[in-house]
Amino acid sequence: MNMANNLRIAQRGAYISLVTYIILSILKYFVGTTYNSSALRADSLNNLTDIFVSVAVIIGLKISIKPADKNHPYGHMKTENITTLIVSFIIMFVGIEVISTNIPKIIQGDYSEPSTLTIWVSMLSGVIMFCVYLFNSKLSKKTKSTSLNSAAKDNLSDAIVSIGTGIGLIFTQFGYPIVDVILAVILGAIIVYTGFTIFKESIFTLSDGFHEQDLNNYIEEIEDIPGVIGIPSIKGRYHGNSVFLDVTIVVDKNLTLDEAHDICDLVENQLREAGVYSSYVHAEPNL
C-alpha cells in the first residue's frame, strides 16, 4: 500500500470523527439546555471544537496527498505534521478551558441537579466516542498517519470526558453535586496532558528528530544484506506518515563501481520493503 493510498484511507477516520462530533454536539447541547446540565452543555462545546480539529485533519491529509513539485521536492507530507501540531494546541486549549470553567464553581458552590436523562446521554456519548477511538487508532496504525493518530487520541480524551461527566452526574442524584465539577477538573488535566504529549511528538518530528529505536531497526535490516561491511552513517526524517533515510555503507574496496551500485540497490529495496518511503544510499570502500 503506497503513501497516497494510506492517506486516502486515513481520511475515512477523519470523516467518521467529523460526522460523530456534529451529531453528538447537537444532541448534548439540546439535552443539556433542556434538562439543566451545564456540564453536558460544556461537553457539547468541547465536541464543537473537535469539529474544527477533524476539519483540520482532513485538510492536512488532502494537502499531504499532493505530489512533489518545484517548490516542494520532497512532497507536501510535512503538512500532516503541522496539522498534528495544530490539533495538540486545540486539545490543550479545551483542557485548560474545562479546568478554568469548573474551578470557580467549586469555590463558589455553584452546583445544580440535572435530569437523569443527561447521565444516559453522557454515557452513550462516551461509548460512541470510544468506539470511534478504537476504529481510528487501528486505522492510524494501518496507514501510519500521524494526524489520524492524534485525532484518535482526541477521540479517547472525549470519551473519557463524556463518561466522567456521566459519572459525575450520577453523584448529583445522591446529593453530591460537587463531585461533578471535581471530576471535570481532573478530566481537564488529563486532556491537557494528552495534548501536551501530542505537542512534544509534533515538535520532535517537525525539528527533524528521529526515534533511535527506528534507526536501530533499519540498521539491522541493512546489516543482513550481503556485501555490506559496515554502516558509518544513517540519518532519518519523518514526513507525515513517510520515512526518508540517508545511509552510508562500507563495501569491499576491490568491488567494481557496478558491483557497489548493485549493493546500494539491494539496500534501497530492503528498506522499501521495511516501509521506508525514500532512501539515499552512498557506498564507501573499506580502507
Side-chain angles (χ1 to χ4, degrees), residues 35-273:
Y35 295 96
N36 192 35
S37 174
S38 58
L40 197 59
R41 287 199 301 271
D43 200 12
S44 73
L45 296 177
N46 176 31
N47 289 154
L48 180 63
T49 304
D50 292 318
I51 292 173
F52 294 105
V53 174
S54 298
V55 171
V57 171
I58 291 171
I59 293 174
L61 289 171
K62 283 186 175 295
I63 295 176
S64 295
I65 293 175
K66 293 175 61 178
D69 55 34
K70 183 178 181 180
N71 294 322
H72 302 85
Y74 290 100
H76 298 76
M77 291 168 283
K78 278 281 188 180
T79 304
E80 193 179 358
N81 300 124
I82 297 172
T83 303
T84 302
L85 181 63
I86 295 173
V87 168
S88 73
F89 282 120
I90 295 175
I91 294 175
M92 287 190 287
F93 174 79
V94 170
I96 293 172
E97 182 69 18
V98 170
I99 294 172
S100 62
T101 300
N102 285 280
I103 286 181
K105 292 182 179 180
I106 297 176
I107 298 173
Q108 299 168 8
D110 183 13
Y111 316 132
S112 60
E113 186 176 328
S115 166
T116 54
L117 178 61
T118 59
I119 299 174
W120 290 106
V121 172
S122 293
M123 291 296 191
L124 177 62
S125 174
V127 171
I128 292 174
M129 287 314 307
F130 187 72
C131 292
V132 174
Y133 156 72
L134 292 176
F135 177 83
N136 282 340
S137 180
K138 182 178 180 180
L139 192 62
S140 68
K141 291 176 181 177
K142 178 181 178 181
T143 60
K144 299 180 181 179
S145 171
T146 56
S147 60
L148 185 59
N149 182 55
S150 299
K153 291 179 180 179
D154 193 23
N155 297 150
L156 180 59
S157 296
D158 293 318
I160 294 173
V161 168
S162 295
I163 293 174
T165 300
I167 293 173
L169 291 173
I170 290 175
F171 281 97
T172 64
Q173 305 300 308
F174 294 94
Y176 300 100
I178 191 174
V179 175
D180 179 18
V181 288
I182 291 176
L183 277 173
V185 172
I186 295 173
L187 293 169
I190 294 174
I191 295 172
V192 172
Y193 176 76
T194 301
F196 183 68
T197 301
I198 297 172
F199 168 79
K200 287 198 302 181
E201 182 64 25
S202 301
I203 292 298
F204 178 76
T205 303
L206 287 170
S207 61
D208 282 339
F210 204 86
H211 295 295
E212 185 176 354
Q213 184 57 51
D214 288 344
L215 279 181
N216 290 335
N217 292 338
Y218 293 129
I219 289 174
E220 291 177 2
E221 293 280 350
I222 299 171
E223 286 177 337
D224 292 335
I225 298 175
V228 175
I229 298 175
I231 308 170
S233 174
I234 179 169
K235 300 175 183 178
R237 290 170 292 166
Y238 299 108
H239 284 249
N241 67 338
S242 301
V243 173
F244 288 70
L245 288 180
D246 295 324
V247 184
T248 299
I249 61 173
V250 176
V251 299
D252 190 330
K253 65 180 180 180
N254 296 315
L255 294 178
T256 66
L257 180 60
D258 286 339
E259 290 172 334
H261 184 269
D262 289 340
I263 295 175
C264 290
D265 286 342
L266 287 175
V267 173
E268 291 178 357
N269 291 334
Q270 182 66 28
L271 290 174
R272 190 176 300 111
E273 291 180 5

